[in-house]
């Protein structure tokens, strides 16, 4: 039996996206189901002790809840961000909506399955709220094994792309971690250890870190710091794909936002449905766009010892920025490499042997501990809770999750997804889409037809494909302002948010530009 519940709207996940959704859908008295004992999402459960934000704090704040110290130039630690999120939840009275230790284990569709996903308008008649319950959510609370069921008219999925479900490499038979005599640990498990446990795990040990994104880089630095002294052992990073890293948001003395985060800079980049004239201009201006990428690359190869360590990527910087894979380096990363405490090996594939790992050139690396900083499988995380036929619709033929305005799947009715597209500031991306979602649920505007939504999604996918080989991450960073413009138009807002044309052209956009009108 499903229990009665007052709310018509469920929000699954208590991270940044879930909190933003709760705040903007507060008039619907939503229920936020958070599986753990704390809000914060990845900032609570997928952070190392050294983890810091990748962007300045003024670029990572809610539009109506600025940081108290927003001019502080340092990047906030994960504990500062958690304090900020707790302050946000308290300030806007969100705790009354949140149910901690409430893990969603099953979602059932109560509507007409023969109609689901095969109608001209999303949700059959285009209305976001069905007027009757169409989703049943099974929830396990605390240590109980009893599944409690609740019914809702609308569900907002905010469980995110990162955390929870590890992405694990697949090995040939007899070459997996089962033959390795040492310890194998995914970065997610490492996050759960305290400082003493991490130091004991790595101190005096031969450590191999698989990966070269932000989590792998931070892990290598923590390993090097734990191995200071005469008994210390160097950490080896095994890298399949190189990505560009930056030491700060300054390029040859110029602020980084000038290259990608203003209307003028984004005018150089292709955007969806841009028309013939603008397409011609994009082609004519492509030397400027490529020149900006080369300009940044020249600074990075001068500033960082990329050539020395064989860490210069073969692809342009623009491709990493366009796929949201640019990482900010910890200050002492190359200092530890220069001291010999971090070394690097390139390998397209690898496998275990009893005393370590073997690279694709048959080089054997001895190891006591192998860390897998191999990421997470967010799409399969969604598949694990969604019912058929929707489970099979999560990814399209291009490997991208097809979301209109980064929020609505045209074939999954009465459900929204927040936090599944990326930009330079994922907080801004999520908050603006929650404002849009609030107005959608209040029926202040109507969605286009399913066919029109797919046309928009396909065009965005093609733009991403032409911009970066890493397009499956669904990153909108090179046309984020245009993306926000279109959302503002649908909400009935002015798309141009600055006070004058000079600011519009050359000032960066952030969340403060999207305060409620």
């Amino acid at each position: 039996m499903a229990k009665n519940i007052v709310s018509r709207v469920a929000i699954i996940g208590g991270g940044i996206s879930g909190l933003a959704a709760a705040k903007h859908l507060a008039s619907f008295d939503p229920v936020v189901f958070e599986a753990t004992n704390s809000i914060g999402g990845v900032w609570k459960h997928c952070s190392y002790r050294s983890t810091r934000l990748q962007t300045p704090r003024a670029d990572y704040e809610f539009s109506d809840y600025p940081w108290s110290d927003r001019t502080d130039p340092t990047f906030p630690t994960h504990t500062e961000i958690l304090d900020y999120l707790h302050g946000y939840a308290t300030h806007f009275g969100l705790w009354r909506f949140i149910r901690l230790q409430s893990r969603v284990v099953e979602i059932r569709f109560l509507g007409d399955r023969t109609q689901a996903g095969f109608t001209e308008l999303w949700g059959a008649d285009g209305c976001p709220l069905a007027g009757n319950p169409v989703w049943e959510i099974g929830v396990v609370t605390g240590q109980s094994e009893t599944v409690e069921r609740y019914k809702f008219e609308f569900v907002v999925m905010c469980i995110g792309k990162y955390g929870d479900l590890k992405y694990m490499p697949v090995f040939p038979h007899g070459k997996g971690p089962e033959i390795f005599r040492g310890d194998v640990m995914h970065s997610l498990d490492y996050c759960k250890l305290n400082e003493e446990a991490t130091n004991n795990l790595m101190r005096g040990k031969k450590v191999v870190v698989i990966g070269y994104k932000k989590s792998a880089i931070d892990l290598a630095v923590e390993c090097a710091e734990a191995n200071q002294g005469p008994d210390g052992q160097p950490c080896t990073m095994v890298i399949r794909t190189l990505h560009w890293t930056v030491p700060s948001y300054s390029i040859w003395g110029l602020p980084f936002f000038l290259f990608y985060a203003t209307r003028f800079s984004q005018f150089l980049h292709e955007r969806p449905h841009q028309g013939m004239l603008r397409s011609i201009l994009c082609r004519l201006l492509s030397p400027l766009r490529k020149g900006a990428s080369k300009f940044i690359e020249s600074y990075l190869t001068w500033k960082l010892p990329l050539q020395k360590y064989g860490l210069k990527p073969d692809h342009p910087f623009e491709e990493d920025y366009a796929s949201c894979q640019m990482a900010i380096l910890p200050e002492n990363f190359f200092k530890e490499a220069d001291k010999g405490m971090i070394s690097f090996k390139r390998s397209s594939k690898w496998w275990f042997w009893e005393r370590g790992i073997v690279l694709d050139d048959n080089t054997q690396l001895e190891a006591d501990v192998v860390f897998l900083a191999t990421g997470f499988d967010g799409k399969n995380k969604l598949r694990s809770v969604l019912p058929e036929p929707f489970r099979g619709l999560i990814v399209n033929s291009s490997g991208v999750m097809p979301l209109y305005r980064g929020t609505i799947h045209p074939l999954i009715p009465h459900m929204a997804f927040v936090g599944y597209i990326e930009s330079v500031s994922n907080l801004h991306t999520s908050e603006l889409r929650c404002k849009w979602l609030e107005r959608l649920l209040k029926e202040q505007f109507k969605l286009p037809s399913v066919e029109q939504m797919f046309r928009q999604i396909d065009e965005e996918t093609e733009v991403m494909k032409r911009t970066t080989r890493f397009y499956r991450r669904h990153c909108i960073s090179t046309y984020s302002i245009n993306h926000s413009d279109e959302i503002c138009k649908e909400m009935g807002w002015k798309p141009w948010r600055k006070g004058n044309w000079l600011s519009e052209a050359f000032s960066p956009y952030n969340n403060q530009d999207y305060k409620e009108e």
Side-chain angles (χ1 to χ4, degrees), residues 193-250:
L193 303 177
N194 59 34
E195 184 174 353
E196 182 181 2
T198 60
N199 285 338
N200 290 338
L201 179 64
M202 296 186 292
R203 187 181 295 118
K205 307 285 183 61
K206 297 175 182 176
V207 176
V208 170
V209 175
I210 307 295
Y212 190 63
K213 293 182 184 177
K214 181 60 177 172
S215 59
I217 290 170
D218 285 348
L219 188 47
V221 170
E222 291 199 8
C223 176
E225 290 174 346
N227 276 282
Q228 302 296 311
D231 297 327
Q233 295 282 346
C235 167
T236 303
M237 299 187 75
V238 175
I239 305 166
R240 184 181 65 177
T241 304
L242 288 170
H243 293 286
W244 290 95
T245 56
V246 297
S248 68
Y249 281 101
S250 177

Side-chain angles (χ1 to χ4, degrees), residues 44-91:
K44 174 65 176 179
H45 305 291
C46 299
S47 297
Y48 309 151
R49 56 183 171 82
S50 63
T51 299
R52 287 180 175 268
L53 186 64
Q54 291 273 293
T55 55
R57 59 189 75 211
D59 293 332
Y60 198 86
E61 64 182 5
F62 294 104
S63 59
D64 49 7
Y65 189 73
W67 288 86
S68 58
D69 53 351
R70 67 191 310 266
T71 58
D72 185 340
T74 62
F75 293 161
T77 65
H78 69 282
T79 53
E80 287 181 279
I81 295 171
L82 285 174
D83 289 342
Y84 173 75
L85 296 178
H86 276 258
Y88 178 79
T90 301
H91 181 77

Side-chain angles (χ1 to χ4, degrees), residues 258-269:
L258 287 177
F259 300 97
Y260 290 106
T262 66
R263 282 196 185 276
F264 177 78
S265 59
Q266 293 198 1
F267 185 80
L268 304 178
H269 295 267

Side-chain angles (χ1 to χ4, degrees), residues 145-161:
E145 295 182 2
T146 303
V147 178
E148 298 177 342
R149 300 189 182 277
Y150 305 92
K151 293 181 179 181
F152 297 93
E153 291 183 45
F154 197 88
V155 174
V156 188
M157 300 294 294
C158 300
I159 59 176
K161 297 165 68 172

Side-chain angles (χ1 to χ4, degrees), residues 54-56 58-59 246 248-269 292 295-296 317 321 326 328 424 477-478 480-481 498 502-510 513:
Q54 291 273 293
T55 55
D59 293 332
V246 297
S248 68
Y249 281 101
S250 177
I251 304 296
W252 294 118
L254 298 173
F256 187 85
F257 71 77
L258 287 177
F259 300 97
Y260 290 106
T262 66
R263 282 196 185 276
F264 177 78
S265 59
Q266 293 198 1
F267 185 80
L268 304 178
H269 295 267
F295 186 74
I296 295 171
F317 174 85
Y321 185 84
M326 180 190 78
I328 300 292
V424 175
S477 62
T478 57
S480 58
I481 297 175
K498 304 287 189 180
L502 196 63
S503 295
E504 279 291 350
F506 301 109
S507 294
Y509 261 82
N510 59 40
D513 295 306

Side-chain angles (χ1 to χ4, degrees), residues 161-163 165-167 375-383:
K161 297 165 68 172
Y162 305 108
L165 192 59
K166 313 165 197 170
Y167 179 81
F376 304 92
D377 197 342
K379 291 167 184 172
N380 269 334
K381 182 164 62 167
L382 275 176
R383 289 190 187 100

Side-chain angles (χ1 to χ4, degrees), residues 239-309:
I239 305 166
R240 184 181 65 177
T241 304
L242 288 170
H243 293 286
W244 290 95
T245 56
V246 297
S248 68
Y249 281 101
S250 177
I251 304 296
W252 294 118
L254 298 173
F256 187 85
F257 71 77
L258 287 177
F259 300 97
Y260 290 106
T262 66
R263 282 196 185 276
F264 177 78
S265 59
Q266 293 198 1
F267 185 80
L268 304 178
H269 295 267
E270 187 179 359
R271 65 180 64 164
H273 303 292
Q274 61 184 6
M276 183 178 294
L277 179 59
R278 200 177 180 289
S279 295
I280 294 171
L281 279 173
C282 267
R283 291 192 186 96
L284 292 175
L285 296 173
S286 62
L288 278 177
R289 186 180 69 247
K290 293 176 181 176
S293 185
K294 289 289 185 186
F295 186 74
I296 295 171
E297 292 164 33
S298 70
Y299 173 76
L300 296 178
T301 52
W302 170 78
K303 181 72 174 178
L304 304 173
L306 303 181
Q307 301 279 15
K308 174 182 177 180
Y309 293 111

